Amino acid sequence: MQPTRVLVVDDHALFAEALSARLGREPDLVVLPVAASGRQALSLAATERPHVVLLDLDLGAENGLDVLVRLRERHPDVRVVVLTAAEGVDTVVRCLRRGAVGFLSKTERAERVAEVVRQAARRGGWVPPELLGEVLRRLLSGPPEPDGADRLLADLTPREREVLQCMVDGLNRAEIADRLGLSANTVRTHTQNLLAKLDMHSALEAITLAMRAGMRPSEEH
C-alpha cells in the first residue's frame, strides 16, 4: 500500500513544523512541505498531489473556508481535514458543507491527528464524538432547498441516482463499482456529475440532501 501524502496548511510556523515532524515519524505517512498560505496550498496541491490536506481556518488575512472551497473545486479527490483552534458546532457544519471530511481541534494529540489522516485517506472522516449528534441534526435539518431536495434529485439520471443510493448505503468507490458492474473511473465520473448537479462539494453533503429527500439505506446494504 502506498504511503499517504499529507499537506499541512498553517501560517503558524512553529506549530506546523512541529506537527510535520511528528507526522513524518509515522511510517505510512509522507509529509510534504508546509504551506503557509492559501496560495501556497493550491500550488503545492497541484505539484505535490497530496492525498490529505490538514487545513487551519486562521490563515492571517485569508479565510480558511475560502481556501477549503478552492481546494475542493480544483482538486476534488483531495481529502481535507480542518485542524484549527476554532471550535463549535456552527464551525464544524460550515466546514462539512464546504467539503471537509473531518474536523480536529489543535488541542488533539498527534496520535489522533495521524489516525484521522489515515481514516480520511481511506475515504472516511472524523467529527468530535461529543459534537456528532448535533452536527448531523443540523446537516439533516438545514435550510430547505428553494425547489425542495426531491426536486434537485429529480435532475439526476437513473445511473446517478443508483450511485447516490450506494453512497447513502455507505459504499466506497470500489464497492459501488462492484455493485453496479462499473469501472472505478466511471463511478468517479458519475459522482462528480451528481455533485455538480446538486451544487454540492462533498459526498457527506450529497448524502445529507438525499436523506432529506427521503432516500434511506437499502435492504441490499
Side-chain angles (χ1 to χ4, degrees), residues 5 22 32 39 45 47 54 62 92 100 102 110 116 124 128 155 172 189-190 206 210 215:
R5 298 170 64 80
R22 173 61 185 83
L32 305 172
R39 180 183 59 80
T47 59
L54 290 171
E62 294 180 282
V92 178
V116 171
D155 291 335
N172 60 34
T189 299
H190 285 312
M215 190 175 285

Side-chain angles (χ1 to χ4, degrees), residues 5-158:
R5 298 170 64 80
V6 185
L7 174 62
V8 176
V9 184
D10 198 311
D11 66 345
H12 295 82
L14 288 177
F15 176 85
E17 290 169 7
L19 177 62
S20 294
R22 173 61 185 83
L23 294 178
R25 296 203 296 269
E26 299 293 324
D28 58 333
L29 304 181
V30 173
V31 182
L32 305 172
V34 171
S37 68
R39 180 183 59 80
Q40 290 180 348
L42 292 168
S43 176
L44 287 169
T47 59
E48 299 293 336
R49 301 298 183 185
H51 300 114
V52 178
V53 172
L54 290 171
L55 174 67
D56 188 10
L57 293 182
D58 183 5
L59 296 173
E62 294 180 282
N63 185 330
L65 287 174
D66 291 340
V67 176
L68 168 58
V69 171
R70 281 181 283 160
L71 278 169
R72 295 291 300 133
E73 288 176 344
R74 299 186 191 183
H75 307 283
D77 281 346
V78 172
R79 310 283 284 175
V80 181
V81 174
V82 171
L83 178 63
T84 186
E87 297 183 359
V89 172
D90 288 341
T91 303
V92 178
V93 170
R94 283 196 293 269
C95 292
L96 296 180
R97 287 192 184 281
R98 287 163 176 78
V101 300
F103 186 96
L104 284 165
S105 168
K106 282 189 172 181
T107 60
E108 287 283 3
R109 298 177 59 189
E111 291 79 4
R112 171 69 69 190
V113 177
E115 182 53 36
V116 171
V117 166
R118 294 185 183 100
Q119 291 182 24
R122 296 193 296 263
R123 316 307 290 179
W126 171 265
V127 172
E130 66 274 15
L131 301 180
L132 182 58
E134 180 62 15
V135 167
L136 289 176
R137 189 189 70 78
R138 297 272 189 97
L139 289 172
L140 289 171
S141 62
E145 302 295 335
D147 296 320
D150 53 343
R151 293 281 186 87
L152 289 175
L153 295 190
D155 291 335
L156 302 182
T157 67

